[in-house]
Amino acid sequence: MTNKLTYPCRLLWAGLVVLLALGVGAHASNVRDLDPKLQRIVACMIRTAKRLPGVDHVRLTLTDSQSVFNGGPSWLHPLVSYRATERPGDGYVVTFDAARSGVPGNYEYSFSANLPGLALPGQRPSDWKSGDVIGLWRSRCRAEASAVFN
């Protein structure tokens, strides 16, 4: 009886391993696939964001798509995101999408984020720490970044 139960489990496990190897492994991207300059910038951005009070869950995601802000052809590029909290119990995930500027030199790449622009009358909307993050990225990482309210 034990052999009959373990054989289907083994078969399912082997099938899952094959599917993962063919489906995910063949298309998975690695940070090393990025331009070395972009790798250095992103590594600095992540290190810097992790040290900022009120910022946590800093993540790097790679995507092979168009940049949200400037469109153009699909390309492998990073999305850098973090969760910002301003008061206990609140939080918002901010995601910066990389774009190619087309200008060789210091700012070949730029990073942009969309922020919610809703606020109570007479109050400014929260920038969810993006002003602090962008300032540090510019000074420490030589990364051009911006955030816009929608």
Side-chain angles (χ1 to χ4, degrees):
M1 190 67 137
T2 304
N3 288 340
K4 289 183 181 179
L5 292 176
T6 58
Y7 179 73
C9 290
R10 288 181 188 165
L11 187 60
L12 284 172
W13 179 251
L16 179 62
V17 168
V18 169
L19 283 174
L20 287 174
L22 293 176
V24 176
H27 302 290
S29 297
N30 191 305
V31 174
R32 289 174 289 196
D33 296 332
L34 297 174
D35 172 57
K37 182 175 184 175
L38 186 55
Q39 288 179 36
R40 286 189 300 275
I41 292 169
V42 168
C44 178
M45 291 169 67
I46 290 170
R47 268 192 322 272
T48 302
K50 284 182 176 181
R51 294 183 185 133
L52 193 62
V55 170
D56 60 11
H57 300 330
V58 180
R59 302 281 185 264
L60 169 65
T61 307
L62 298 179
T63 182
D64 189 8
S65 63
Q66 293 180 322
S67 294
V68 171
F69 284 88
N70 69 351
S74 295
W75 66 295
L76 181 66
H77 64 279
L79 304 172
V80 178
S81 61
Y82 62 86
R83 186 182 69 167
T85 55
E86 295 185 344
R87 293 173 303 281
D90 74 358
Y92 182 77
V93 176
V94 179
T95 301
F96 285 84
D97 186 16
R100 291 185 193 134
S101 68
V103 180
N106 290 335
Y107 297 109
E108 287 180 56
Y109 303 100
S110 61
F111 295 82
S112 302
N114 281 315
L115 299 174
L118 296 176
L120 296 172
Q123 293 184 354
R124 293 177 47 94
S126 172
D127 75 348
W128 297 105
K129 305 284 184 187
S130 64
D132 296 337
V133 169
I134 289 169
L136 289 172
W137 284 350
R138 285 180 178 164
S139 65
R140 294 184 182 172
C141 306
R142 300 187 56 89
E144 181 55 39
S146 62
V148 295
F149 288 102
N150 287 325

